[in-house]
Amino acid sequence: MVVAGATGVVGRKLLPLLREREHHVTALVRKTDRLEDVPADEVVVADVLDLEGLSDRLRESGPDVVIDQTTGFGAADRDEAMRRTAKLRASGSKNLLDAAVQAGARRFIAPGMTAAYRPHGHDVLDEEAPLWTEAPGCWGEVVRALASMEEEVLTRAGIEGFVLRYGSLYGPDTEYAPGGDIHARVCGSELPLVVDGMGLTSFTHVDDAAGVVLEFLEGGDPGVYNVVDNEPAECSEWLPAYARMAGGPAPVSLTADQAKAQLDWLTVHQLTEQRGATNFRIRETLGWRPTWPSWREGFANLFGLWPG
């Protein structure tokens, strides 16, 4: 099998899991400088935006499963990260799907995001809820690219397609870890608690984001699956708890109107109207259970306050 995006936070967790189960794995990367402990003969260098070169590399590898874990969210600038991610989903993932079909792969596993759901009421959303394709700005570009990519993956003839919609990824090397963007904003009192906001966040530990892929190498019906923990949380719950565990100050309390005057649009959306997601489908159809059922234990473990 081939793992694209093998240097990302999920890809680096996934490679050793696959090798432990004695799968033959090829790591597809643009650069090798971030890849450790992977034999040179298990690494292929290719750019997912270059269809011709990508197709050549996949035909040489002959994978039965192709796993897409590429992301643009490593960029320091948030708008740039969203633009890169939109481009990867709109072009890179589709190129990877084309190359997988040409190489004779039987399954394709792609990444999605529960944050892309259209905000509606106070519900926790399942996989049938619509994506927010009319969202404004760079976020709208991301969601539209995701929706287009998902349609391609789920309808392409000759291959079984799966979309794993992750929640907000946390754990080592993520933006919630020491040195990450969320950690810096919370410890710098730059991420407030919106007292009249009803935004919900569904979290996914990187251990679960990587581990769930193993379930779909052979099992499961093609389709879309939310991969989140059991406890969607309002910012009034998770943000103060995270701040305490991170050793930061208590978040400043603002009204939604005050937040709109001080913060970027996307942050306000996340804190005030974003909806959480349910993992009911994957729990019932595959019997999957998250290693970290709640962000509470996951955050505590991240900061050395919980065994694991």
Side-chain angles (χ1 to χ4, degrees), residues 63-95:
D64 61 336
V65 179
V66 174
I67 303 163
D68 183 4
Q69 292 293 341
T70 58
T71 179
F73 279 110
D77 180 78
R78 198 178 203 187
D79 285 349
E80 176 61 20
M82 287 190 284
R83 283 190 288 267
R84 284 173 52 179
T85 295
K87 187 174 183 179
L88 279 172
R89 295 290 83 81
S91 300
S93 294
K94 291 180 183 179
N95 285 347

Side-chain angles (χ1 to χ4, degrees), residues 183-246:
H183 183 266
R185 294 175 75 185
V186 171
C187 290
S189 295
E190 297 175 5
L191 195 61
L193 191 159
V194 181
V195 293
D196 52 346
M198 297 295 291
L200 284 174
T201 299
S202 282
F203 290 96
T204 307
H205 195 285
V206 289
D207 288 348
D208 289 313
V212 75
V213 173
L214 304 178
E215 304 283 345
F216 291 98
L217 299 180
E218 299 291 343
D221 294 326
V224 177
Y225 296 85
N226 291 335
V227 180
V228 294
D229 73 11
N230 300 338
E231 192 179 349
E234 293 183 9
C235 67
S236 60
E237 292 181 283
W238 74 261
L239 186 53
Y242 175 88
R244 287 194 301 272
M245 288 184 270

Side-chain angles (χ1 to χ4, degrees), residues 1 28 39 42-43 66 81 100 102 104 128 131 152 157 159 169 181 238 255 275 277 296 300 302 305 308:
M1 67 189 62
L28 191 148
E42 295 181 9
V43 178
V66 174
Q102 294 170 19
E128 303 306 314
L131 299 184
E152 291 272 354
I159 196 167
L169 286 171
D181 180 62
W238 74 261
T255 66
R275 307 318 307 147
R296 299 176 192 275
L302 181 61
L305 305 174

Side-chain angles (χ1 to χ4, degrees), residues 137-157:
C138 293
W139 185 241
E141 294 178 27
V142 172
V143 178
R144 287 186 290 275
L146 276 169
S148 178
M149 179 274 292
E150 289 190 3
E151 180 71 14
E152 291 272 354
V153 169
L154 298 175
T155 60
R156 182 64 60 89

Side-chain angles (χ1 to χ4, degrees), residues 1 3 13-25 67 213-214 217:
M1 67 189 62
V3 178
K13 288 277 187 179
L14 179 58
L15 289 181
L17 295 178
L18 294 169
R19 290 199 299 267
E20 285 172 8
R21 287 156 179 78
E22 300 183 349
H23 292 289
H24 177 73
V25 186
I67 303 163
V213 173
L214 304 178
L217 299 180

